[in-house]
Amino acid sequence: SIKTMPIRYLDILLEEKITVLEDNIKIVIPSPINFSLHKLLIAQRRKNDDKIQKDITQAIYTLEAVDLNSFKDRFLKLPDKSKKYVLDSLQTAQTLLPLKKAFINKTINTLQK
């Protein structure tokens, strides 16, 4: 028998989707802000270190392409526990991505202003 498992925070990916047209094919993708939030949230729930690193790395590189104040606006809508997960992932990112430390610090400071 097949058992289904809920995908945590999937609702975030479904909000504010973007439609891209590629070779006459419409592709719906999550907004970069919501994608980054999702990756930072689920990284704190993972057990596998490789997946944690992959999620955090994808989130940080995507965040570099978005307006941090818009990211903060979406972050502030999260429940307190989820905000803690995001901030914890950003703290972890400082160790995982030392060359991105200045950007990560800027992101943390923006969220905590």
Side-chain angles (χ1 to χ4, degrees), residues 6 20 26 34 40 47 60 64 73 85 91 93 105:
V20 178
K26 286 185 180 179
N34 291 347
L40 293 170
K47 306 278 187 259
I60 297 303
E64 288 184 305
D73 291 344
Y85 285 163
Q91 292 294 333
N105 284 334

Side-chain angles (χ1 to χ4, degrees), residues 16-84:
E16 303 171 23
K17 299 174 292 217
I18 297 171
T19 301
V20 178
L21 187 61
E22 180 68 33
D23 292 330
N24 290 325
I25 300 171
K26 286 185 180 179
I27 303 168
V28 180
I29 59 173
S31 77
I33 289 172
N34 291 347
F35 177 81
S36 296
L37 269 177
H38 181 263
K39 290 294 186 180
L40 293 170
L41 284 164
I42 63 170
Q44 290 301 305
R45 311 224 10 125
R46 296 236 193 236
K47 306 278 187 259
N48 181 305
D49 288 341
D50 290 337
K51 288 185 177 187
I52 292 168
Q53 184 171 351
K54 179 182 170 189
D55 286 335
I56 290 174
T57 299
Q58 288 177 338
I60 297 303
Y61 279 89
T62 303
L63 269 179
E64 288 184 305
V66 303
D67 175 63
L68 288 182
N69 289 316
S70 296
F71 182 71
K72 178 183 179 179
D73 291 344
R74 182 62 184 91
F75 169 82
L76 291 174
K77 295 177 185 175
L78 295 173
D80 288 344
K81 185 175 183 179
S82 295
K83 288 177 189 170
K84 181 183 180 323

